Amino acid sequence: MVRNIDQHVGRRIRQARALRGLSMEKLAQALGISYQQLQKYEVGSNRVSCGRLWLIGQTLDLPIGFFFDGLENEGLAAGGDDALVSRRTINAARQLEEIEDPALRDQLVAMIRTCARSGHVVS
């Protein structure tokens, strides 16, 4: 179970890094660790210490709770990759954040929410 938590936290680090558009090299450099160490954190083979997780959160401008979000819903026994966010979703979120007009961003989010709830696909 603890290993699954480490893997979940690692996936969340990877998601946050990707959403911020940072390479593993850039984040590792900002944290003062090697690329290999960050890679081990992201796959969950090495446990992230509390202090290091706090520093990662500060570097990515995220609260510590972000790294544990979804943990209770993931099904810790399974520990699968179902919780991974697709690259397409990450890219769409990044592009959405680049839209300077907040009203337009809100309208797009509302449209996406409506489409997702109705099961319709916009073509």
Side-chain angles (χ1 to χ4, degrees), residues 78-94:
D81 287 336
D82 296 352
L84 288 176
V85 175
S86 74
R87 184 165 305 282
R88 181 176 24 181
T89 302
I90 290 170
N91 288 336
R94 188 179 304 139

Side-chain angles (χ1 to χ4, degrees), residues 24-39:
M24 289 180 78
E25 293 86 0
K26 294 274 188 195
L27 181 56
Q29 183 180 22
L31 298 172
I33 61 174
S34 70
Y35 165 89
Q36 292 84 359
Q37 183 60 48
L38 179 59
Q39 187 176 36

Side-chain angles (χ1 to χ4, degrees), residues 42-105:
E42 288 191 0
V43 298
S45 62
N46 279 15
R47 182 169 296 154
V48 183
S49 71
C50 294
R52 179 77 66 201
L53 191 58
W54 181 85
L55 184 59
I56 292 169
Q58 292 292 100
T59 303
L60 296 173
D61 193 29
L62 291 167
I64 295 294
F66 169 86
F67 302 105
F68 299 98
D69 285 348
L71 188 61
E72 59 280 350
N73 299 328
E74 186 173 316
L76 291 177
D81 287 336
D82 296 352
L84 288 176
V85 175
S86 74
R87 184 165 305 282
R88 181 176 24 181
T89 302
I90 290 170
N91 288 336
R94 188 179 304 139
Q95 291 165 351
L96 185 65
E97 287 302 314
E98 290 176 6
I99 297 172
E100 293 181 17
D101 182 352
L104 178 57
R105 256 195 330 262

Side-chain angles (χ1 to χ4, degrees), residues 13-24 27 42 60:
I13 292 170
R14 183 174 51 237
Q15 289 170 1
R17 177 182 55 74
L19 283 170
R20 296 290 191 256
L22 287 174
S23 67
M24 289 180 78
L27 181 56
E42 288 191 0
L60 296 173

